[in-house]
Amino acid sequence: MLTLLNPRHAEHIGRHEMFRGRLVDSHESPARVEHVLAELRRRPLGELREPAVGDNELMSALRAVHEPRYLDFLASAWDDWVALDPANAGIDALPSVWPLPNRHGFRQDGWPQNIAARLGQFAFDSGTPLTAGSWVAARAGAACALGAARAVLGGERCAFALTRPPGHHAGPGFYGGYCFLNNAAIAAQALRDGGPARVAMLDVDYHHGNGTQTIFYERADVLTLSLHGDPRTEYPFFLGHADERGAGAGEGFNRNWPLPRGTALAPWRSALDEALQAVSDVGATALVVPLGLDTFEGDPISGFQLRSADYAGIGAALASLKLPTVFTFEGGYAVAEVGTNAVNLLEGFERAA
């Protein structure tokens, strides 16, 4: 298995996030990647290197899934934040005002000059700190995803984009859930552009991949499937219900398995089996797995009960599809265990493949 490492991930380091009414230390930290990297060095699965992707080809890949004005915003947001007040250089940028949708309430067709307003224009939560290094780190992470897809197109059985910040909550023109650029969507689009007529996206993160669903909701060439905590009680709350099945050309090509807090391995695996069957039924010829490990029983912001030993079997189940596969590193906030859990799953995949 080829692993592509983001060499600049640690340049994005959030100080604080708003979590359930309190300003707390950010749960998403550079240590997450470092623990996975340490475990990969202890139990090597194959080549580990940095991606080699040019700036122009990277920007083309970003524009294929994200809106141009959103990318422009990300590229300049930190400089605009500091220009608002030089003291902001020592404070993460978090939004404090949002234009909620209402026909006669808030206009959303404008472009506010104040960066505080623009943060709320593009962010859907106040838990995703934007920092001096967020754009650089996110771009380098997207290069990992693009490089992983290209490696698979070139004949690799599977490739792992080991990067942060994560990506599956980022939509065409919005960020949140610690995510700025949707690495899994970038990989899926690159696979489509490289030949496979239909790509399957099977998201196993505890939190619904609302950004990925939004990007592909009206398309039939990317099947989006997600197993996650029930949005009636779990973040991101406003998307991820079972009745969301796609629209237009994409009707029937989006499926969600919302599961209750406290779900253990057996019912989770039952849902996974249904998702695997759905991939087989549509005849997908490539697979992208947004790899969230926050389904672990010790995760501090999640609620499933999977154990470290369970992940090898999950990897083997994913390998049973016998598809060229790209993994993108997503959630997992039990930092001490995230490396073991990630490599258990990838090792299980490799052995079964």
Side-chain angles (χ1 to χ4, degrees):
M1 178 180 294
L2 170 66
T3 296
L4 291 170
L5 174 67
N6 180 351
R8 307 192 71 174
H9 78 90
E11 294 183 45
H12 169 72
I13 178 165
R15 299 171 178 87
H16 300 104
E17 63 178 91
M18 187 64 69
F19 183 72
R20 296 173 185 168
R22 293 182 296 120
L23 200 62
V24 301
D25 293 341
S26 183
H27 290 99
E28 204 289 302
S29 70
R32 300 174 59 244
V33 162
E34 297 305 326
H35 277 265
V36 177
L37 185 58
E39 190 66 15
L40 280 172
R41 287 173 171 155
R42 192 177 76 84
R43 290 190 281 163
L45 297 177
E47 182 184 4
L48 190 155
R49 59 177 168 83
E50 297 175 7
V53 175
D55 285 343
N56 289 339
E57 54 189 346
L58 177 58
M59 285 308 300
S60 179
L62 298 187
R63 293 188 188 104
V65 299
H66 291 293
E67 297 168 1
R69 78 169 190 166
Y70 172 61
L71 296 173
D72 291 343
F73 159 77
L74 289 178
S76 65
W78 181 256
D79 288 343
D80 292 343
W81 176 245
V82 175
L84 181 67
D85 182 345
N88 282 352
I91 305 170
D92 294 346
L94 290 171
S96 57
V97 59
W98 289 266
L100 294 175
N102 185 293
R103 196 157 66 102
H104 300 298
F106 294 90
R107 290 187 60 171
Q108 296 180 305
D109 59 340
W111 183 260
Q113 294 183 6
N114 192 303
I115 181 60
R118 293 207 302 277
L119 288 167
Q121 189 173 22
F122 292 105
F124 68 84
D125 67 20
S126 58
T128 305
L130 192 151
T131 76
S134 297
W135 175 236
V136 168
R139 274 176 49 95
C144 290
L146 180 58
R150 289 183 172 177
V152 165
L153 288 169
E156 290 280 350
R157 173 69 176 82
C158 54
F160 176 36
L162 177 54
T163 182
R164 53 170 295 281
H168 73 150
H169 293 302
F174 58 80
Y175 72 95
Y178 312 136
C179 304
F180 298 95
L181 296 173
N182 196 311
N183 301 315
I186 290 163
Q189 186 62 52
L191 289 170
R192 278 289 297 110
D193 293 342
R198 182 163 288 152
V199 175
M201 177 89 66
L202 206 175
D203 193 327
V204 296
D205 193 279
Y206 179 79
H207 303 98
H208 177 250
N210 59 300
T212 310
Q213 174 172 305
T214 302
I215 289 168
F216 297 114
Y217 202 63
E218 296 185 10
R219 291 173 52 174
D221 58 337
V222 179
L223 174 71
T224 51
L225 311 169
S226 180
L227 287 63
H228 52 265
D230 190 330
R232 292 178 299 175
T233 60
E234 308 304 314
Y235 183 94
F237 303 112
F238 299 103
L239 216 58
H241 297 276
D243 63 353
E244 298 158 12
R245 297 185 57 87
E251 186 171 354
F253 289 90
N254 187 89
R255 291 191 61 187
N256 292 315
W257 284 264
L259 301 168
R261 177 171 280 266
T263 293
L265 179 64
W268 192 92
R269 280 296 303 268
S270 179
L272 178 64
D273 288 344
E274 292 182 20
L276 294 173
Q277 186 60 52
V279 174
S280 297
D281 289 344
V282 302
T285 54
L287 177 68
V288 177
V289 179
L291 180 56
L293 288 310
D294 43 4
T295 50
F296 177 59
E297 62 182 352
D299 196 274
I301 61 172
S302 305
F304 287 167
Q305 297 298 313
L306 275 61
R307 299 176 178 177
S308 293
D310 297 334
Y311 289 101
I314 294 168
L318 293 167
S320 71
L321 291 171
K322 302 189 184 329
L323 294 177
T325 301
V326 172
F327 292 93
T328 61
F329 186 50
E330 303 291 347
Y333 308 100
V335 176
E337 295 87 3
V338 73
T340 297
N341 296 341
V343 178
N344 282 358
L345 188 148
L346 297 172
E347 193 174 63
F349 183 96
E350 280 282 84
R351 288 176 176 172

